[in-house]
Amino acid sequence: SRSPSHLVGCIRTVKTTTWFDEHLTEDNQEYMRKTTAEEYRRQTAEKLNPLKDEPWQRHEWTEGSRRVGLVAVKLGMVPVWSKTGERHVVTMLQVQDCHVIKHLSKEEFDGHTAALVVGGKNVSPFNRSESQMEMFRNAGVPPKQKVTTFKVSDNALIKPGTPLYAAHYRPGQYVDVTAKSIGKGFQGVMKRWGFKGQPATHGQTKTHRRPGASGPGGDPAKVFKGKKMPGRMGNVYVTAHGLKIWRVNTKYNVLYVNGSIPGHKNCLLKVKRHTRASLCMHLFMFVCFPVRECASQ
Amino acid sequence: MSSCQTDRTVPPSCGRWATLRLGQIAFQRHFDRHGFRSTCACVCGRSDMAACGKGLDKFMFSLRLLRNLQLQNERFLSTSVCRLAVGGSSEQPPKFTPPSKPVIVDKTQTVASTRSHLSPEFIPPRQRTNPFKFYIERKDMIRRRKVLNIPEFYAGSILAVTMADPNASGKMNRFVGICIQRGGHGLGATFVLRNIIDNQGVEICYELYSPRIQQIEVLKLEKRLDDNLMYLRDALPEYCTVDPDMKPEPISPTGEVPVNKLKVRMRPKPWSKRWERPKFNIQGIRFDRSLTPEQMEHAQKWAQPWREYDMLKEYDTSKLEEQILSEVQREMSK
């Protein structure tokens, strides 16, 4: 039996009791699928054309301004060798169908900074709620699997509907990558918090991986809040900071990012620019891959 | 007369080949239909000047013979041509056709390419990764292979690897050894070479696609009864000693890779791993020399006979291999 490559990444994420095509005939099901695919292609093509879709004005870069990030998919890890012969391991992130979906002004968002809502990978519209679909319809963009907000300074605002590509970053820049870590389920205290446990021999009765004592004793006479105990581990958002970008493949939109990244293969990540002053390589423009260049590619 | 120079062969456009062999030296004479003779340089596969020198006097003697023969033939041929031309009744001299262009045959490349072999690191493991990631990795691997010729080899072949090293004198270091293991997938594929130098066993693990590797030479291409020869660590040292100045043996471009059915004798127990156990499935050790039949039977207690019937552990890569092989061959020929 061959490895089913066409089923890669096929995990059941829809847990409703009815499918969209439960009461449709087979022809209608096929028709629905075909039309949505064509619609996606039409929508993405529309957004690439600068005449139909006027981009917003581009402003000058100033010290302290923030740019949008990207939503990418984690592919896997490969080794990479520098010119001096040192070997480093990098993770490949692919930017698939990343579009800006909405612009939230200062007042709408939190009163201090404006925000841009960005979405990644396209998915089917049939299992999304009406409110989500409304947002995508307003932007004229196919529905996305992951939708995140990026805090952005006023001079870096981008029109909703613009596609974002891997060329947004250059090799040598540093990024922070946020993703949901792999879920481990209910785990004991040794795996979850790194406790030492107890010895295997020398008379230990039924105590090898237990937490041991739970606090000081009679004076507080309670267990403090936040005590490290067994529980569900993983499946939380974790950020890896200060990762260097070694290589950018603009043809396939792949970023080669140093080191390892939380999350399983084919998971969606939020990629942001790292803001520590020592590691910043400032790019003196904002959307460095303007819409006109996208269309010509 | 040229001797022991570059390997140049002139293919016959039409004509007869006359091959002579003198010990290690062979050369061919070629009679073109227009009477042009071209002498090819002798074909000695990477042998040194000393060997050529030995056969030189015999060489000169036979050459003189041949030259005489040839002149006679030439005279014969040329007169015949003239007669033919005269017979044609036109007064134009015979049309000048330049000799055929010499085709330089690069022995290092073409020797193994006729046998279609896909290196094991191209075959992706059974994982939930997007096949697109393997595709991108394969592109990088092919790019590297276009620069450096990575020959076909197996566990049990003897290789010589030259690697760039900033701390070595001459900036390069060369290591010759027998390949005991090939591991890894994609760009991180590795192979381990083992040799015994000054009574000290040395194993070096090289990465196939590392840019520090300048040259990989196969001195002897052969297979063994197993894919993993880690048991050579516990074998007698004679099985791992490879002469660092070993000369490369000629590799046949077609046909099967020779399988060396050598059964290795081991040092007394304890070994680094219990090689007699069925999970290693080693064919290449002479167990009767180191173990009693009772010990062999005792090792069979760890057998897992149900594993060969386990369908979930099956991974049939034949179709994937064909696809990848055709893709790789296409890209390499570009």
Side-chain angles (χ1 to χ4, degrees):
Chain A
S1 49
R2 230 180 351 123
S3 72
S5 55
H6 58 282
L7 291 177
V8 156
C10 274
I11 313 157
R12 200 181 113 170
T13 46
V14 176
K15 284 147 176 103
T16 53
T17 42
T18 47
W19 310 122
F20 81 98
D21 53 359
E22 201 176 313
H23 304 292
L24 298 174
T25 56
E26 275 185 30
D27 310 339
N28 284 353
Q29 285 169 21
E30 272 192 52
Y31 174 73
M32 289 296 284
R33 289 202 172 88
K34 263 189 230 162
T35 40
T36 34
E38 280 166 20
E39 207 187 302
Y40 284 12
R41 261 175 258 136
R42 191 181 46 83
Q43 281 177 331
T44 28
E46 245 178 55
K47 292 300 161 192
L48 290 175
N49 194 338
L51 293 174
K52 283 193 196 159
D53 184 36
E54 290 276 333
W56 284 353
Q57 211 219 339
R58 275 206 261 170
H59 302 272
E60 281 296 311
W61 179 88
T62 54
E63 189 78 41
S65 45
R66 281 161 156 199
R67 279 168 81 205
V68 191
L70 301 172
V71 175
V73 176
K74 175 175 168 180
L75 290 180
M77 295 184 77
V78 265
V80 114
W81 287 271
S82 65
K83 289 221 162 99
T84 43
E86 284 142 13
R87 182 185 189 266
H88 304 270
V89 204
V90 294
T91 325
M92 291 167 52
L93 308 181
Q94 191 187 21
V95 180
Q96 291 177 3
D97 313 311
C98 191
H99 283 102
V100 176
I101 296 171
K102 212 155 104 171
H103 154 63
L104 303 166
S105 61
K106 237 198 277 190
E107 297 77 40
E108 285 169 22
F109 187 57
D110 63 350
H112 297 287
T113 23
L116 281 178
V117 177
V118 175
K121 211 164 141 185
N122 289 350
V123 273
S124 76
F126 307 121
N127 299 310
R128 299 271 170 264
S129 62
E130 195 45 51
S131 53
Q132 289 173 337
M133 285 307 293
E134 197 191 309
M135 186 169 70
F136 294 122
R137 228 175 286 134
N138 289 342
V141 138
K144 306 289 182 188
Q145 188 175 334
K146 183 174 172 86
V147 162
T148 43
T149 35
F150 289 96
K151 275 202 274 200
V152 158
S153 53
D154 287 322
N155 49 0
L157 294 175
I158 306 175
K159 180 169 182 178
T162 31
L164 298 171
Y165 299 98
H168 191 76
Y169 291 113
R170 296 288 154 84
Q173 285 191 305
Y174 288 83
V175 284
D176 295 341
V177 178
T178 315
K180 265 205 168 162
S181 56
I182 298 178
K184 311 268 181 198
F186 194 101
Q187 287 299 336
V189 106
M190 275 177 85
K191 194 180 184 75
R192 196 178 183 211
W193 300 113
F195 283 15
K196 276 185 79 179
Q198 289 82 28
T201 53
H202 290 299
Q204 305 288 322
T205 35
K206 307 200 289 188
T207 318
H208 306 291
R209 300 181 67 95
R210 297 182 79 190
S214 57
D219 187 12
K222 67 172 189 176
V223 175
F224 293 123
K225 274 200 192 296
K227 170 84 187 66
K228 291 181 180 174
M229 284 186 164
R232 271 211 191 149
M233 182 181 164
N235 205 25
V236 284
Y237 283 107
V238 175
T239 316
H241 298 274
L243 302 177
K244 182 168 168 182
I245 295 184
W246 282 104
R247 193 173 148 186
V248 175
N249 186 334
T250 43
K251 184 174 174 198
Y252 294 108
N253 280 326
V254 178
L255 292 168
Y256 289 66
V257 168
N258 190 32
S260 55
I261 273 162
H264 53 84
K265 289 205 241 264
N266 302 319
C267 78
L268 284 160
L269 332 142
K270 173 177 173 177
V271 182
K272 252 176 42 176
R273 230 196 68 211
H274 188 68
T275 44
R276 212 196 306 168
S278 55
L279 292 179
C280 280
M281 178 181 116
H282 293 297
L283 259 180
F284 296 91
M285 47 177 165
F286 282 116
V287 178
C288 49
F289 201 52
V291 179
R292 267 169 233 109
E293 281 159 38
C294 314
S296 67
Q297 209 191 30
Chain B
M1 276 294 148
S2 59
S3 59
C4 305
Q5 273 177 5
T6 53
D7 303 331
R8 281 172 138 238
T9 41
V10 179
S13 43
C14 79
R16 287 165 281 133
W17 287 97
T19 323
L20 280 172
R21 272 197 182 266
L22 299 163
Q24 284 174 342
I25 309 163
F27 61 95
Q28 293 118 358
R29 325 243 47 231
H30 166 61
F31 296 99
D32 198 77
R33 64 177 152 178
H34 298 286
F36 286 108
R37 63 171 162 84
S38 31
T39 325
C40 315
C42 65
V43 177
C44 4
R46 274 174 274 222
S47 50
D48 35 14
M49 296 302 281
C52 289
K54 274 183 222 163
L56 206 56
D57 12 339
K58 288 190 216 163
F59 187 97
M60 295 311 290
F61 178 64
S62 48
L63 266 176
R64 258 180 246 126
L65 266 179
L66 273 172
R67 220 184 288 157
N68 293 335
L69 270 172
Q70 205 189 56
L71 284 165
Q72 286 168 10
N73 288 339
E74 205 189 347
R75 255 183 265 133
F76 176 74
L77 280 169
S78 51
T79 43
S80 64
V81 163
C82 287
R83 268 189 234 139
L84 281 169
V86 164
S89 82
S90 61
E91 289 185 357
Q92 290 163 1
K95 206 170 165 195
F96 172 73
T97 41
S100 48
K101 210 169 172 190
V103 171
I104 300 165
V105 171
D106 184 12
K107 295 277 170 184
T108 48
Q109 283 285 356
T110 50
V111 168
S113 57
T114 47
R115 179 176 34 233
S116 68
H117 159 79
L118 184 67
S119 218
E121 71 266 6
F122 278 104
I123 302 161
R126 189 166 70 158
Q127 281 175 354
R128 293 175 79 177
T129 353
N130 199 346
F132 173 68
K133 183 242 179 188
F134 297 126
Y135 170 68
I136 292 215
E137 233 184 334
R138 243 177 286 142
K139 279 181 64 167
D140 282 332
M141 283 153 78
I142 290 168
R143 263 180 83 187
R144 175 68 188 161
R145 276 181 180 250
K146 284 191 179 160
V147 174
L148 170 73
N149 172 37
I150 297 175
E152 170 192 2
F153 66 97
Y154 304 89
S157 328
I158 298 179
L159 303 190
V161 173
T162 3
M163 193 165 83
D165 187 2
N167 305 320
S169 58
K171 300 294 175 199
M172 304 276 208
N173 65 36
R174 184 172 191 262
F175 186 74
V176 177
I178 184 169
C179 174
I180 54 176
Q181 180 186 269
R182 275 191 88 162
H185 297 275
L187 280 171
T190 54
F191 62 101
V192 183
L193 291 185
R194 180 180 168 84
N195 199 352
I196 298 185
I197 300 170
D198 288 341
N199 283 332
Q200 171 65 49
V202 178
E203 281 183 17
I204 303 189
C205 175
Y206 290 104
E207 286 187 313
L208 274 174
Y209 296 96
S210 167
R212 282 176 68 187
I213 292 187
Q214 309 299 317
Q215 193 198 21
I216 303 180
E217 233 181 290
V218 174
L219 302 177
K220 185 172 181 192
L221 177 69
E222 66 173 7
K223 280 195 209 184
R224 291 281 197 110
L225 292 168
D226 312 296
D227 283 330
N228 203 314
L229 301 174
M230 284 294 182
Y231 57 81
L232 290 177
R233 291 171 178 167
D234 299 313
L236 295 173
E238 67 200 37
Y239 296 102
C240 301
T241 353
V242 177
D243 176 26
D245 302 314
M246 182 172 150
K247 296 291 157 235
E249 282 177 26
I251 301 167
S252 77
T254 49
E256 293 288 321
V257 175
V259 180
N260 188 354
K261 296 199 172 37
L262 175 67
K263 293 236 173 194
V264 145
R265 268 192 243 146
M266 304 290 275
R267 283 211 288 257
K269 271 207 160 194
W271 295 332
S272 58
K273 291 240 180 313
R274 297 173 208 262
W275 302 112
E276 71 275 9
R277 294 217 175 153
K279 84 166 191 193
F280 294 111
N281 193 22
I282 290 179
Q283 312 294 325
I285 298 183
R286 277 204 71 172
F287 288 115
D288 50 333
R289 279 297 201 128
S290 4
L291 297 177
T292 58
E294 290 84 32
Q295 282 175 314
M296 289 300 293
E297 261 194 59
H298 180 68
Q300 291 303 316
K301 278 174 99 174
W302 281 267
Q304 293 175 324
W306 55 86
R307 273 190 83 125
E308 60 173 309
Y309 303 106
D310 194 344
M311 287 173 74
L312 284 183
K313 293 211 199 296
E314 284 170 12
Y315 183 37
D316 180 28
T317 48
S318 43
K319 292 223 177 84
L320 205 63
E321 261 191 60
E322 280 166 22
Q323 222 180 352
I324 295 175
L325 179 64
S326 55
E327 187 191 320
V328 168
Q329 279 174 341
R330 221 185 317 135
E331 296 289 326
M332 288 297 288
S333 55
K334 277 191 194 163

